[in-house]
Amino acid sequence: MDILLTNDDGIQALGLRALYRALTRAGHRVHVVAPVTEQSAVGHAVTMSLPLRVREFSESDFFGLGVSGTPADCVKLGLTTLLDQPPDLVVSGINSGANVGVDILYSGTVSAATEGALMSVPALAVSVDDFKPRDLSGQAEYCAGLIPGIPWAEVPEKTILNLNFPSCPVAQAGPLVVCPHTRVSYRDWYVERLDPRGNPYYWLEGVIPPDRISPGKDRALLSQGHVTLTPLRFDFNDQATLDLLRARLGLD
Ligand code: MN
């Protein structure tokens, strides 16, 4: 396959490099277009008022294009301009940190995959439930093994697949489960500290409340050590509320 590989942790990130090696070794043609700097939690932002610069990262065992923008920028620029022909698949990751539940909205990793799907290219987002992974070669090999078995032609347009690995080594992970995402929102708080000039600054912390995590969905299964695969479709329509509003506003 021709694969556009991107991420939100930046072109130097461990997870992207691991996927590059595994996918290349599996015989795929891997085209890397990834942010030069870390873009975690930028969501689906696109750059509208700054130029995008592209820089080659040419190394003995790696070649990729680094973009001075967001993950969605990378996919847009890659698909419209930098690649000679459309790839068969967009792969985004492997992200350091799980992307489950509402993370999907904040995640640059998932948004890059979504951008691929919006541009009619099948897409896979990949994350690991570990903010400081030291070796993702096992997870990358697992991805390379999984990709050929996915019925990509039958995945509807504007649907992406969101794969999450548990924090343990892949050899110790539970079986793959296909499951929905949790709908629980984060409980957020900000740590207040003082900068060197004595002025306060704020740093976001948050957790998906463990007591509200529903069983059978991605967050719970991931915590139990499963590898989770969740199809996500871009469709924010709410038919029930649409019908309700039409009725209440007398617009039937
Ligand atoms: Mn990230």
Side-chain angles (χ1 to χ4, degrees), residues 8-9 38-41 95-97 99 109:
D8 78 3
D9 292 334
E38 184 178 345
Q39 301 286 316
S40 291
N95 186 63
S96 296
N99 277 307
T109 305

Side-chain angles (χ1 to χ4, degrees), residues 74-136:
C74 291
V75 175
K76 272 190 189 297
L77 189 62
L79 294 182
T80 58
T81 308
L82 299 177
L83 268 60
D84 294 331
Q85 56 190 32
D88 303 303
L89 182 66
V90 170
V91 178
S92 180
I94 300 170
N95 186 63
S96 296
N99 277 307
V100 291
V102 76
D103 295 336
I104 295 158
L105 287 178
Y106 304 119
S107 167
T109 305
V110 174
S111 293
T114 304
E115 186 60 35
L118 295 180
M119 297 179 78
S120 301
V121 180
L124 174 71
V126 189
S127 308
V128 62
D129 194 13
D130 183 350
F131 284 109
K132 291 191 185 296
R134 280 180 293 178
D135 178 12
L136 292 173

Side-chain angles (χ1 to χ4, degrees), residues 19-38:
L19 267 183
Y20 180 88
R21 280 191 299 274
L23 294 172
T24 303
R25 207 177 298 142
H28 301 292
R29 288 173 300 280
V30 182
H31 311 273
V32 175
V33 183
V36 171
T37 57
E38 184 178 345

Side-chain angles (χ1 to χ4, degrees), residues 21-67:
R21 280 191 299 274
L23 294 172
T24 303
R25 207 177 298 142
H28 301 292
R29 288 173 300 280
V30 182
H31 311 273
V32 175
V33 183
V36 171
T37 57
E38 184 178 345
Q39 301 286 316
S40 291
V42 302
H44 211 110
V46 290
T47 301
M48 302 287 286
S49 52
L50 289 170
L52 291 175
R53 309 279 181 188
V54 179
R55 179 152 71 88
E56 288 188 1
F57 284 69
S58 187
E59 303 165 16
S60 60
D61 55 356
F62 177 82
F63 181 82
L65 299 175
V67 175

Side-chain angles (χ1 to χ4, degrees), residues 102 184-189 204-212:
V102 76
V184 179
S185 297
Y186 272 77
R187 185 167 59 83
D188 289 326
W189 65 91
L204 177 62
E205 300 266 19
V207 66
I208 297 178
D211 53 313
R212 297 192 52 214

